[in-house]
Amino acid sequence: EIGSFIREKWYDCLSITPNDYLITLDDDFFELGGKSLHVANMLTEIQNKYRNFPKDISLFYACPTIRALINQIKSINAQTMH
């Protein structure tokens, strides 16, 4: 579910469709054309759904793939549950 949510937001932010390009878990957001303004929008979208996700732009640069973001969200959620 997390991966599908992020992928959908990437399509919206990057203004592409699955017919144009099928985004995979390991595609790099910036290599697909993502810019810093897109990062701010993406962080807002992720934080709206996953309240514990920090609004820290540098985190997105450290996790530029869907797989990395999924792992980060799971890690943050696990830490907040303890």
Side-chain angles (χ1 to χ4, degrees), residues 30 36-37 39-41 43 53-63:
F30 301 102
S36 57
L37 179 59
V39 171
N41 292 338
L43 282 173
F53 197 81
K55 195 163 192 172
D56 179 357
I57 288 179
S58 66
L59 185 64
F60 201 93
Y61 286 96
C63 303

Side-chain angles (χ1 to χ4, degrees), residues 23-59:
I23 297 173
T24 70
L25 292 177
D26 296 310
D27 280 322
D28 186 297
F29 183 75
F30 301 102
E31 290 177 5
L32 293 177
K35 307 284 186 231
S36 57
L37 179 59
H38 296 134
V39 171
N41 292 338
M42 284 293 303
L43 282 173
T44 299
E45 293 284 346
I46 292 170
Q47 194 174 43
N48 285 342
K49 184 159 177 87
Y50 302 98
R51 300 277 181 207
N52 297 328
F53 197 81
K55 195 163 192 172
D56 179 357
I57 288 179
S58 66
L59 185 64

Side-chain angles (χ1 to χ4, degrees), residues 4 6 12 20-22 29 40 45 47 49 55 61 72:
S4 296
I6 294 171
D12 291 344
D20 298 327
Y21 181 81
L22 184 60
F29 183 75
E45 293 284 346
Q47 194 174 43
K49 184 159 177 87
K55 195 163 192 172
Y61 286 96
Q72 189 64 39

